[in-house]
Amino acid sequence: MNLAALARQALVEDGAPPDTILALSIHDRRKIVRLALECPLTEGPQGARWYSAHQSLARNLSRSTGVTVHAYVYDPQEYEEVQAFGRGQHVGGERLIYKEVELPESLDGEFDDRAFARMQSRWPLGHLAWVFGVEREQLLGLRQLPTTRLRLDGAAAEIPLESLLRGIAA
């Protein structure tokens, strides 16, 4: 299976521009792979909303590999969500809108950081982190890992997904 071809197919299905870049990061210890499409549509707060509505890459990858693919969206000001795809079908997910959350307070009326951290561990990204065996902060930090960027505008090398997963290509 060719990852660049799958990503190009997703670009067409989701209406992303042809000069979109596919970013690939791997958390080696836990074998977690982060794939992200990079283009003006996916930047900033509007990028989170775009990703929420455009999940073709996750759907196609789940169909091609036969594994469950989890797609997460994180907008630190508004919401977080996780969607799961298996065999090309949406098989679950959850969204949490931050303004709907009642924040914990300690007995003295101050903000309770520890209670808040426990609360976040039950939110969509906290649960996904638990499934993967990492902390929530590690999951959110995947974008800080070394990243391979593949051009998808036809100039991309035809690299099989398996070779990328064995080690990030330079």
Side-chain angles (χ1 to χ4, degrees), residues 1-4 150 157-167 169:
M1 175 201 34
N2 182 286
L3 183 58
L150 301 173
E158 298 300 319
I159 302 171
L161 177 61
E162 294 81 11
S163 67
L164 286 170
L165 296 182
R166 283 190 206 105

Side-chain angles (χ1 to χ4, degrees), residues 51-123:
Y51 270 119
S52 288
H54 299 89
Q55 298 290 339
S56 293
L57 181 57
R59 189 173 33 261
N60 294 344
L61 189 59
S62 75
R63 182 182 305 116
S64 296
T65 61
V67 299
T68 301
V69 174
H70 295 88
Y72 70 85
V73 176
Y74 176 65
D75 178 340
Q77 301 302 313
E78 291 189 38
Y79 70 101
E80 63 185 62
E81 76 178 10
V82 174
Q83 298 296 323
F85 297 88
R87 296 186 179 173
Q89 301 296 315
H90 183 262
V91 295
E94 182 180 9
R95 176 186 274 198
L96 178 87
I97 308 294
Y98 295 139
K99 68 181 176 183
E100 297 174 0
V101 173
E102 187 174 325
L103 297 176
E105 290 183 18
S106 65
L107 295 175
D108 61 5
E110 294 296 314
F111 187 73
D112 188 338
D113 290 325
R114 288 188 309 183
F116 184 65
R118 285 190 305 274
M119 187 181 222
Q120 283 184 308
S121 72
R122 294 186 303 270
W123 292 355

Side-chain angles (χ1 to χ4, degrees), residues 11-30:
L11 296 184
V12 171
E13 291 173 9
D14 285 339
D19 62 346
T20 298
I21 302 290
L22 177 66
L24 174 108
S25 306
I26 299 175
H27 185 295
D28 286 326
R29 202 174 119 251
R30 291 315 227 161

Side-chain angles (χ1 to χ4, degrees), residues 117-139:
R118 285 190 305 274
M119 187 181 222
Q120 283 184 308
S121 72
R122 294 186 303 270
W123 292 355
L125 289 174
H127 180 73
L128 182 61
W130 176 81
V131 167
F132 289 153
V134 297
E135 298 295 322
R136 175 186 164 92
E137 292 72 30
Q138 289 177 295
L139 186 63

